[in-house]
Amino acid sequence: MTATLLQALLFQSGYNAALVSIGAALLGFAAGCTGAFTTLRRRALVSDAMAHATLPGIGLAFLVMAALGSDGRWLAGLLLGAGISAALGLMALNRLTRTRLPEDAAIGAVLSTFYGAGIVILTVIQNLSLGRPAGLESFLLGSTAGMLRDDALLVAGGGAVTLALLWLLRRALVMTAFDPAHARLMGIDTRAADMALLVLTLACVLLGLRVVGLILIVALLITPALAARLWSDRMSTVALLAGAIGAVSGHLGAALSVALPDLPTGPAIVLLAFAAFALSALIAPRRGLIARSIAHARLRARLAAGEQT
Amino acid sequence: MASPTPIPLPETALAITGLTVAYGSVPAVATVSARFPKGSMTAVIGPNGAGKSTLLKAALGLIPALTGEVRAFGQPVPRAMPRIAYVPQRAAVDWDFPARVIDVVQMGLYRQTGLLGRLTPALRARAADCLDRLGMAGFATRQIGALSGGQQQRVFLARALAQDADLVILDEPFAGVDAATESAIIAVLHGLRAQGRTVIAVHHDLSTVPAYFDRVLLLNRHVIAEGPTAATFRRATVAEAYGNQLLTAIPA
């Protein structure tokens, strides 16, 4: 297994596996960078609701494509359906929060309703013997096993576009996250900035559906950002570091699932990202547990010495 | 209280006419009209819930107004916005934000840089100078969460200074700050007034009103009184705004 893993890490497990690995790394980078802004603007749970709201769209897109005579597994088509359904979920969320329902309750309602609807649609599809539905359930937890070259290229290209847009909008996004009122008075269209951030987050969700799966993609948005925040107080550094952590997790997780074919890709990537966070919480300078206990111990020693004299 | 429509003379920095803001069906401020002359420094005072912050936010368009018109320097507020700076309450933002002090001050330069423009050396120097004017030059690279409340307030004011605005509107700039910060802030604000700029601040400490401000706007959902401090800041009018509490600190 170690040899296979090493091969996979060094892109030596064949052309497809290498593409998948690069795709997963780029997805991790895009999701990490984007997630730094998403968490900063406190939209982490909203992105989870969006992710779960993609499921009915995946099922319906499959049905439409199968009805049109294809095998219904064209990734771009499935992602289009997922995107539309996530957008509907977001609109439902906006309507619910306008009725004075607390946001967390509205998120819970939308998330579970859309997810439930998606599961019902998938179950119907399984019993229809239409197209080739095998593999649709891999959108739940992610699987790189059946990933095609075009799929990997889609993830890579989409990730690159997402990152470019994020870089262009970074100043407006940071100002909107820090002080929306001030940002508005400085001429920033904060509603547009918020919408753009949600679209970029949705893009990461969609790109990550195949690799990480819709249940866990939120972790790839949040966890690297949390880990990176422990290392730096500068937004640019936090975003880039979150991207790097996401990229390493993505690459390593994809390689692991090549070496261990039974291991679902999504959970592997997410656990690696969490490991990075746990390590950061332990050893990060100043904010890490170790640094903090050393600082406290030193202070206590100084105080004790002061008492004796 | 509905005064005749004020003519937006050029020497008026901010003119509010018949402004009403309602949260739900309850008006937070009702048909407020007020004029703030250029080069003046006005305290907006009134009890808790009088609608002081609401009035200023609505005047800036941050919250929607039910009725009324607001003009700054004779123009609709959105047009005049490049000449206006706003300092929100310190608690309005999350200070555990990944930004350094100088990053926040540089946010006041967005109109110069835009979305993508470079922070030129001249702009960087301008931001550093604004920090220096508030005695915060040594804190430029500190994380903002590591600051005391008074230091955070100074950073907010430095961000407003960086905007080089002719009208500076502050929401409780002295809330919860120590004496050193208060005198640093008031010195800067008086400096702005000396340059002919206009300052409007929500203020709570009635004892410092005559020393700090040359005009007052007494508010309790309606305008109770408005005018030069010496003539307006009287025990009877303040008592009316605050609901007849004993206010021995105020000149009769």
Side-chain angles (χ1 to χ4, degrees):
Chain A
M1 177 230 155
T2 327
T4 337
L5 177 61
L6 204 62
Q7 272 180 1
L9 280 177
L10 299 171
F11 306 108
Q12 302 297 314
S13 298
Y15 181 64
N16 250 18
L19 267 178
V20 167
S21 250
I22 293 170
L26 210 80
L27 166 73
F29 192 72
C33 292
T34 310
F37 289 89
T38 313
T39 48
L40 206 61
R41 189 74 183 105
R42 301 182 184 282
R43 292 291 188 271
L45 280 177
V46 176
S47 59
D48 196 23
M50 277 199 307
H52 281 75
T54 57
L55 191 55
I58 294 171
L60 291 175
F62 172 84
L63 283 175
V64 169
M65 290 192 290
L68 294 174
S70 84
D71 68 359
R73 296 176 66 173
W74 183 47
L75 185 61
L78 294 173
L79 292 190
L80 182 67
I84 292 172
S85 140
L88 288 175
L90 202 59
M91 279 158 66
L93 186 59
N94 276 336
R95 284 308 286 265
L96 281 177
T97 42
R98 233 177 287 157
T99 61
R100 298 192 150 232
L101 203 65
E103 196 184 27
D104 59 341
I107 288 170
V110 167
L111 186 153
S112 50
T113 307
F114 273 75
Y115 185 68
I119 293 291
V120 168
I121 293 171
L122 284 201
T123 314
V124 170
I125 289 173
Q126 305 287 355
N127 300 331
L128 269 183
S129 66
L130 206 72
R132 280 173 53 210
L136 271 193
E137 71 284 351
S138 76
F139 282 103
L140 296 180
L141 291 174
S143 160
T144 48
M147 220 166 140
L148 304 172
R149 180 171 170 276
D150 282 356
D151 301 351
L153 286 178
L154 185 69
V155 171
V161 172
T162 304
L163 282 172
L165 287 172
L166 195 66
W167 187 81
L168 284 175
L169 296 173
R170 66 195 188 285
R171 201 173 270 164
L173 292 177
V174 168
M175 284 181 64
T176 304
F178 176 60
D179 188 347
H182 181 257
R184 264 173 72 188
L185 297 180
M186 296 300 283
I188 293 173
D189 185 342
T190 52
R191 284 184 61 176
D194 278 336
M195 187 51 70
L197 179 59
L198 283 177
V199 168
L200 293 178
T201 308
L202 177 60
C204 291
V205 167
L206 295 179
L207 297 171
L209 281 182
R210 192 61 208 269
V211 183
V212 182
L214 63 92
I215 296 179
L216 291 177
I217 181 65
V218 66
L220 200 54
L221 286 163
I222 300 174
T223 322
L226 293 182
R229 183 69 183 85
L230 293 165
W231 293 90
S232 174
D233 286 326
R234 294 194 67 178
M235 188 51 201
S236 48
T237 316
V238 169
L240 288 173
L241 201 58
I245 292 170
V248 171
S249 307
H251 177 55
L252 214 59
L256 267 176
S257 79
V258 169
L260 299 167
D262 287 339
L263 183 72
T265 319
I269 292 176
V270 166
L271 285 177
L272 286 165
F274 179 77
F277 168 72
L279 193 69
S280 305
L282 207 59
I283 65 167
R286 285 192 300 116
R287 286 167 183 260
L289 269 178
I290 294 176
R292 285 221 312 262
S293 18
I294 289 176
H296 282 171
R298 279 200 186 134
L299 186 61
R300 232 178 272 127
R302 267 220 312 278
L303 289 172
E307 275 164 14
Q308 278 161 16
T309 50
Chain B
M1 252 333 97
S3 57
T5 310
I7 305 141
L9 300 168
E11 61 263 37
T12 300
L14 186 72
I16 299 173
T17 313
L19 192 73
T20 300
V21 185
Y23 296 122
S25 58
V26 188
V29 292
T31 54
V32 166
S33 295
R35 298 220 284 132
F36 303 87
K38 228 166 150 180
S40 69
M41 189 159 153
T42 308
V44 179
I45 53 182
N48 289 332
K52 305 180 293 290
S53 302
T54 302
L55 175 70
L56 296 184
K57 282 184 195 160
L60 291 167
L62 288 172
I63 49 176
L66 216 56
T67 64
E69 195 199 2
V70 184
R71 295 176 83 86
F73 304 106
Q75 291 179 310
V77 167
R79 282 259 293 284
M81 201 51 86
R83 298 176 66 184
I84 307 174
Y86 170 63
V87 181
Q89 290 186 17
R90 201 156 33 86
V93 306
D94 171 17
W95 288 91
D96 187 30
F97 191 92
R100 302 167 305 165
V101 166
I102 195 70
D103 297 329
V104 173
V105 180
Q106 285 167 352
M107 289 181 191
L109 298 170
Y110 184 80
R111 284 191 188 277
Q112 278 68 45
T113 62
L115 203 54
L116 292 169
R118 209 169 63 85
L119 272 170
T120 60
L123 287 174
R124 284 178 194 279
R126 178 161 143 191
D129 176 57
C130 292
L131 259 189
D132 192 33
R133 281 161 71 186
L134 282 146
M136 291 285 290
F139 292 84
T141 56
R142 287 277 182 94
Q143 205 273 327
I144 53 169
L147 302 177
S148 72
Q151 291 166 339
Q152 290 171 350
Q153 192 67 58
R154 293 193 212 190
V155 172
F156 258 5
L157 186 53
R159 179 180 71 177
L161 289 182
Q163 291 173 231
D164 198 22
D166 295 316
L167 169 62
V168 181
I169 297 176
L170 307 96
D171 199 344
E172 302 202 21
F174 305 115
V177 306
D178 61 18
T181 296
E182 183 158 334
S183 58
I185 291 176
I186 203 68
V188 166
L189 295 182
H190 283 160
L192 290 174
R193 180 177 57 183
Q195 294 170 342
R197 301 176 202 247
T198 312
V199 177
I200 304 170
V202 173
H203 191 56
H204 265 301
D205 181 3
L206 297 180
S207 67
T208 52
V209 167
Y212 288 177
F213 297 93
D214 51 61
R215 289 178 67 86
V216 294
L217 171 64
L218 267 160
L219 195 70
N220 194 350
R221 294 180 189 241
H222 305 269
V223 174
I224 305 293
E226 181 204 3
T229 307
T232 319
F233 192 66
R234 291 289 165 193
R235 195 179 296 167
T237 43
V238 176
E240 192 188 339
Y242 282 79
N244 284 321
Q245 294 155 22
L246 205 58
L247 294 156
T248 47
I250 315 298

